[in-house]
Amino acid sequence: MININENFLKLQAGYLFPEIGRRVRAFSQANPESDIIKLGIGDVTEPLPDAIVTAMHKAVDEMSVRETFHGYEDSGRGYDFLIDTIIENDYRPRGVQLDHDELFISDGSKCDTGNIQEIFGIDNTIAVTDPVYPVYVDTNVMAGRTGDAIDGGRYGNIVYMPCTAQNNFVPELPTEPVDMIYLCYPNNPTGAVATKEQLKKWVDYARTNKAIILYDAAYEAFISDDSIPHSIYEIEGAKEVAIEFRSFSKTAGFTGVRCAFTIVPKALRAYKTDGTPVDVNPIWNRRHCTKFNGVSYITQVGAAAVYSDAGKQQIRSIIDLYMSNAATIRKSLTGFGYKVYGGINAPYVWLHTPDGIGSWEFFDVLLNKANVVGTPGAGFGAAGEGYFRLSAFNDPAKVAQAMERIAKI
Ligand code: MLT
């Protein structure tokens, strides 16, 4: 008899975004004439910049010639030309020295943040912010690191760290011991950022308690405030205790192309149950190269073109366009009397639902009355109830239209 992994049966609703998609499809089928504006899932809408497209076309041509054809990539960790370019552009200017073999190219931060837990013991206690990007929680549920579902969509054996307006959406240190701490800044879904001082507290905590920080920096390109760190490695000692995840998805319009990277510093240690320290980097390398055959050559060439002069300029103007949408959303909603957060250093605006109505109820109101799709805060965790997320990824004219429609309700 084949047994199922019963941990999967603990999972509550379907994954958030397919569930939203299902509801939107049902609405569209019932109202075929409706013109829906999607500010729900953070999916980019602008096409790939020219510099990237040109580089990828050239890479396709190389693939068509025997002499320049690329099959499997030797290391499976990523081509040197991309890894070097990332280190030189994203890290060295911020005073972060990284070795080549500390960086792993992958097909997405969703996969990496979901897969990373595999290399850590099943008895570790995880700590997540609430609200949280659901992948961190669901993958630990699947792995069996949590208890059963309890009230409000939470699970047993997880330490939830509420992030509310009171703490500026940056959690307090936990009062009970935790081992794997998931942090995401700029934050999805609240759009909040963490200062160097706030991150230092976490790094110090992890160093003192032999914990690890899993730092999702997928939205760092949207930071506009110069004082905000882009990488956790800007904090002294972080290389001993943190893994960082970065993505080209939102930065360069790669949601449909797929390219990201993860940094596992060689200074990072985890421990055997007898307390013996173990280097984490070779363990992730082993896992990565066993289960993954690398991102396509064409995609990696496209990712490297993000750092060309033209690429940098072109992605900057796209990011500016999305951030002007975020400003429009913030300004309009504030004008309508909503209390809003985020949207300044992140492409997400987080708002209080009006009159304290439930976040799924507000989702339905917005969909039915304004034909606008957002994401209910409760979908990100119990502390997200009473909040709602609007994404800035859309065409400015559509965002303006969405705001006009919301004004009417
Ligand atoms: C989101 O909308 O939260 C993100 O787009 C989801 C993702 O990046 O997987």
Side-chain angles (χ1 to χ4, degrees):
M1 179 180 76
I2 174 72
N3 290 328
I4 198 75
N5 175 351
E6 291 191 27
N7 294 312
F8 279 69
L9 306 180
K10 293 180 195 163
L11 290 165
Q12 290 303 283
Y15 184 62
L16 175 61
F17 293 106
E19 172 60 21
I20 289 175
R22 193 188 60 72
R23 290 180 185 222
V24 173
R25 270 192 309 281
F27 177 82
S28 291
Q29 274 158 15
N31 304 275
E33 74 299 338
S34 61
D35 170 25
I36 294 173
I37 300 177
K38 292 187 178 164
L39 304 178
I41 187 167
D43 193 5
V44 294
T45 51
E46 289 298 296
L48 289 176
D50 279 352
I52 296 170
V53 173
T54 306
M56 290 176 90
H57 278 163
K58 195 163 156 275
V60 172
D61 290 341
E62 285 178 49
M63 293 294 277
S64 72
V65 178
R66 190 178 306 278
E67 288 68 31
T68 49
F69 171 77
H70 288 77
Y72 288 127
E73 174 208 317
D74 286 346
S75 71
R77 284 192 303 104
Y79 286 104
D80 290 357
F81 67 78
L82 178 57
I83 293 181
D84 290 342
T85 306
I86 291 169
I87 293 175
E88 285 310 314
N89 285 275
D90 280 345
Y91 289 95
R92 214 182 294 285
R94 297 194 170 274
V96 178
Q97 310 300 325
L98 289 174
D99 286 346
H100 199 89
D101 49 359
E102 294 181 300
L103 210 140
F104 299 82
I105 306 293
S106 77
D107 61 351
S109 286
K110 181 180 190 176
C111 326
D112 285 353
T113 56
N115 290 330
I116 196 76
Q117 49 77 28
E118 265 184 43
I119 63 168
F120 299 109
I122 207 72
D123 293 330
N124 285 309
T125 302
I126 75 159
V128 294
T129 60
D130 184 3
V132 68
Y133 179 44
V135 171
Y136 317 149
V137 171
D138 288 2
T139 52
N140 277 286
V141 174
M142 291 170 183
R145 204 169 279 107
T146 73
D148 288 330
I150 47 177
D151 287 350
R154 290 185 164 184
Y155 294 90
N157 298 345
I158 293 185
V159 173
Y160 288 92
M161 307 181 291
C163 286
T164 59
Q166 281 70 42
N167 58 13
N168 289 322
F169 306 101
V170 179
E172 313 304 332
L173 293 174
T175 50
E176 53 203 298
V178 299
D179 308 299
M180 292 161 60
I181 302 154
Y182 288 85
L183 295 177
C184 171
Y185 289 99
N187 186 254
N188 178 13
T190 64
V193 281
T195 62
K196 280 197 173 137
E197 295 66 35
Q198 286 166 323
L199 286 184
K200 181 172 181 329
K201 278 209 292 196
W202 282 100
V203 168
D204 291 347
Y205 173 92
R207 288 172 90 185
T208 308
N209 294 283
K210 295 190 168 155
I212 199 163
I213 298 171
L214 302 164
Y215 193 71
D216 186 349
Y219 298 93
E220 61 77 35
F222 295 84
I223 294 173
S224 59
D225 177 344
D226 289 342
S227 70
I228 299 297
H230 286 237
S231 165
I232 192 154
Y233 304 124
E234 291 176 56
I235 314 302
E236 201 195 325
K239 279 194 197 166
E240 293 163 29
V241 289
I243 291 177
E244 179 163 294
F245 305 92
R246 293 263 188 117
S247 171
F248 292 97
S249 283
K250 318 294 157 87
T251 308
F254 271 44
T255 53
V257 177
R258 310 307 308 152
C259 196
F261 58 94
T262 288
I263 291 170
V264 185
K266 286 190 275 192
L268 185 70
R269 310 268 180 279
Y271 300 86
K272 297 204 316 197
T273 40
D274 67 5
T276 316
V278 176
D279 290 344
V280 177
N281 175 288
I283 305 266
W284 180 248
N285 186 42
R286 184 71 169 82
R287 189 264 170 219
H288 190 72
C289 300
T290 302
K291 293 199 175 182
F292 188 61
N293 251 339
V295 172
S296 80
Y297 173 71
I298 299 161
T299 297
Q300 293 194 55
V301 168
V306 167
Y307 299 96
S308 63
D309 288 344
K312 280 181 190 165
Q313 239 175 46
Q314 291 165 12
I315 66 162
R316 178 42 53 196
S317 60
I318 296 177
I319 289 171
D320 289 347
L321 176 143
Y322 291 136
M323 291 313 287
S324 77
N325 287 342
T328 304
I329 297 172
R330 275 184 64 90
K331 188 160 172 250
S332 311
L333 293 183
T334 308
F336 310 152
Y338 287 82
K339 184 95 186 107
V340 302
Y341 308 92
I344 294 173
N345 292 290
Y348 296 124
V349 176
W350 188 240
L351 53 124
H352 272 298
T353 56
D355 308 322
I357 70 169
S359 60
W360 278 107
E361 199 185 327
F362 187 61
F363 172 88
D364 287 335
V365 171
L366 227 54
L367 181 58
N368 284 285
K369 299 219 168 119
N371 298 170
V372 171
V373 180
T375 309
F380 296 103
E385 186 49 285
Y387 290 92
F388 199 78
R389 191 191 80 175
L390 289 177
S391 144
F393 295 113
N394 212 321
D395 177 61
K398 291 227 182 239
V399 170
Q401 201 184 353
M403 294 303 113
E404 280 164 25
R405 292 188 195 168
I406 293 175
K408 293 197 186 121
I409 59 164

